[in-house]
Amino acid sequence: MNKLELLADLHRDTERQGPGGQAETRLALQLAGLCERRDLDIADLGCGTGASTLVLAEALDARIVAVDFLEPFLDTLKARALEAGVAERITPRHASMEALNFAAESLDAIWSEGAIYNLGFARGVREWRRFLKPGGILAVSELTWLTEQRPAELDAYWRDQYPEVDTASAKLAVLEHHGYAPLGYFVLPPHCWRENYYRPLQERFPAFLKAHRNSPAARAIVEEQQQEIELYERYGEYFGYGFFIARKCGER
Ligand code: SAH
């Protein structure tokens, strides 16, 4: 197995593949003003096993296309959607978010929790804009500096992992620059990292290592994840996941 396959195997049975929470997805929906609307077309990009997709399907009158490039995640999503009784509202699509083929101006909203970094924030907001109807909603969560100053070790770690890591004001400026009007921003609370994401992941480590017979590649992945968790425990006051909600506006 290559590294991506190992990562898929580590994460495939967990509820979510990044920090987040059902209440926080609902808060973003409120800020987006989508709950009262009817007959919506929505894409959930980098949906993983469907943590946000299921909340959207339960809360909205919408058809949701759930896109991910890892098929095992979509299989888990399908099973969860059936169990929750919302499968008919969700169309899983095995595709890369670098090569989306939605029709221009066809979507009422684009949702993407903890996944736009794979394209890079600026590229994602720029490229996805054309799929949104005028006034359409973009809602994304993204690694964000919470303060202007931070320890050098932390700064170096995240800059290396994700060169576009930045403050909320800088992210909002990127949205404005690319033709969006920001509607809301909030920070995911710590339980979205600890209880919802890191703890289930850590509980999965022993079975994952056993299944891969403690291979060096599997151990390296667990060590990388542990390093990230330790960094969060030490420096969590300086960084978080920002949830950004914006409306497409103007000509471009
Ligand atoms: N939204 C989910 C998953 C976040 S993890 C949640 O909040 O739990 C990021 C997701 O993006 C993973 O499921 C990964 O498979 C997917 N992904 C990464 N690069 C991608 C790409 N180029 N195209 C489509 N999906 C991608």
Side-chain angles (χ1 to χ4, degrees):
M1 273 195 190
N2 64 30
K3 186 170 179 186
L4 190 59
E5 288 165 333
L6 282 169
L7 278 169
D9 185 53
L10 174 64
H11 287 278
R12 64 181 295 168
D13 290 326
T14 49
E15 193 183 314
R16 60 178 63 254
Q17 287 70 44
Q22 294 183 1
E24 288 68 25
T25 300
R26 278 191 226 104
L27 175 57
L29 279 173
Q30 293 291 337
L31 293 168
L34 290 170
C35 300
E36 300 73 29
R37 293 178 48 194
R38 295 286 160 262
D39 201 26
L40 297 166
D41 281 296
I42 295 183
D44 187 352
L45 304 181
C47 59
T49 60
S52 55
T53 323
L54 295 179
V55 176
L56 299 182
E58 277 159 15
L60 301 177
D61 177 17
R63 291 169 292 274
I64 303 163
V65 178
V67 176
D68 207 283
F69 76 164
L70 290 180
E71 238 172 344
F73 289 175
L74 293 175
D75 292 339
T76 305
L77 185 156
K78 280 181 219 165
R80 293 176 72 194
L82 277 172
E83 204 176 320
V86 292
E88 77 285 355
R89 298 190 196 162
I90 300 173
T91 307
R93 187 174 295 170
H94 182 213
S96 171
M97 52 192 182
E98 294 190 54
L100 298 167
N101 60 359
F102 295 105
E105 303 201 343
S106 63
L107 297 172
D108 294 288
I110 292 178
W111 212 264
S112 186
E113 296 196 19
I116 195 171
Y117 75 90
N118 290 294
L119 282 194
F121 186 80
R123 182 178 164 196
V125 303
R126 190 176 65 240
E127 290 189 1
W128 297 349
R129 187 177 182 279
R130 68 176 185 277
F131 304 126
L132 288 172
K133 295 177 186 174
I137 295 290
L138 178 71
V140 297
S141 64
E142 161 92 338
L143 187 77
T144 305
W145 294 133
L146 303 181
T147 57
E148 202 181 57
Q149 309 280 329
R150 65 203 71 91
E153 181 196 9
L154 176 69
D155 195 77
Y157 174 86
W158 277 121
R159 266 184 209 289
D160 177 53
Q161 298 279 322
Y162 184 45
E164 278 184 67
V165 57
D166 215 331
T167 53
S169 54
K171 298 280 169 192
L172 292 168
V174 172
L175 286 166
E176 288 164 347
H177 178 72
H178 288 288
Y180 296 85
L183 298 178
Y185 160 71
F186 65 92
V187 181
L188 295 182
H191 72 259
C192 286
W193 294 74
R194 295 201 180 107
E195 281 78 25
N196 296 359
Y197 176 47
Y198 285 148
R199 191 189 293 157
L201 190 60
Q202 285 175 303
E203 283 169 3
R204 166 101 183 96
F205 289 157
F208 170 75
L209 289 170
K210 194 169 171 215
H212 297 284
R213 295 194 193 81
N214 254 329
S215 74
R219 286 209 313 271
I221 283 181
V222 168
E223 274 158 29
E224 272 174 30
Q225 302 273 349
Q226 293 277 32
Q227 191 192 0
E228 187 194 304
I229 294 170
E230 277 161 34
L231 218 75
Y232 182 75
E233 290 308 334
R234 269 162 64 209
Y235 295 129
E237 67 192 290
Y238 298 100
F239 71 99
Y241 249 53
F243 217 130
F244 298 87
I245 299 100
R247 182 195 294 123
K248 173 177 172 175
C249 62
E251 298 294 314
R252 259 190 187 245

